């Protein structure tokens, strides 16, 4: 600001220039943070086929539409852009596409995350 005013430019114009510069730096910092988050997010994805274990159960995901619980085929009961839910008997496996994680439910009650 002082440098701007020293050149004979009004305080209002100098203030606006400084605000614009500050906003530009904040916007760039936010874009950098978003890129880092997206790159970290992408690294969490799994490669298929992948086997998850939870307790004494095993869920194998051969592709986003084909899963097996303890070797028995699981049917898709719901799918959205972010999640696919499989069912095998009284068990449901909720597959989160973005993170590659699977949540296990028994009779619609959360058992836990499968690893």
């Amino acid at each position: 600001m002082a440098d701007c005013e020293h050149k004979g430019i009004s305080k209002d114009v100098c203030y606006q220039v400084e605000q614009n510069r500050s906003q530009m730096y904040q916007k760039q910092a936010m874009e950098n943070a978003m890129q880092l988050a997206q790159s970290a997010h992408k690294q969490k994805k799994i490669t298929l086929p992948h086997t998850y274990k939870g307790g004494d159960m095993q869920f194998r995901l051969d592709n986003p539409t084909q899963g097996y619980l303890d070797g028995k085929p699981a049917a898709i009961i719901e799918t959205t852009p972010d999640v696919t839910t499989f069912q095998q008997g009284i068990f449901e496996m909720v597959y989160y596409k973005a993170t590659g994680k699977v949540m296990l439910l028994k009779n619609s009650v959360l058992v836990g995350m499968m690893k």
Side-chain angles (χ1 to χ4, degrees), residues 19-74:
Q19 289 299 312
N20 290 344
R21 181 178 296 141
S22 176
Q23 288 175 357
M24 180 186 68
Y25 287 131
Q26 289 173 353
K27 181 181 176 188
Q28 186 63 47
M30 184 63 84
E31 287 174 1
N32 291 345
M34 292 292 286
Q35 286 176 351
L36 283 173
Q38 286 173 350
S39 122
H41 184 71
K42 288 178 184 175
Q43 292 173 357
K44 291 180 183 177
K45 286 189 177 181
I46 60 155
T47 56
L48 297 177
H50 190 80
T51 301
Y52 298 88
K53 295 180 182 175
D56 60 347
M57 305 196 80
Q58 185 172 296
F59 178 64
R60 188 179 84 236
L61 192 61
D62 286 349
N63 62 55
T65 61
Q66 191 174 20
Y68 300 88
L69 183 65
D70 292 336
K72 298 174 190 166

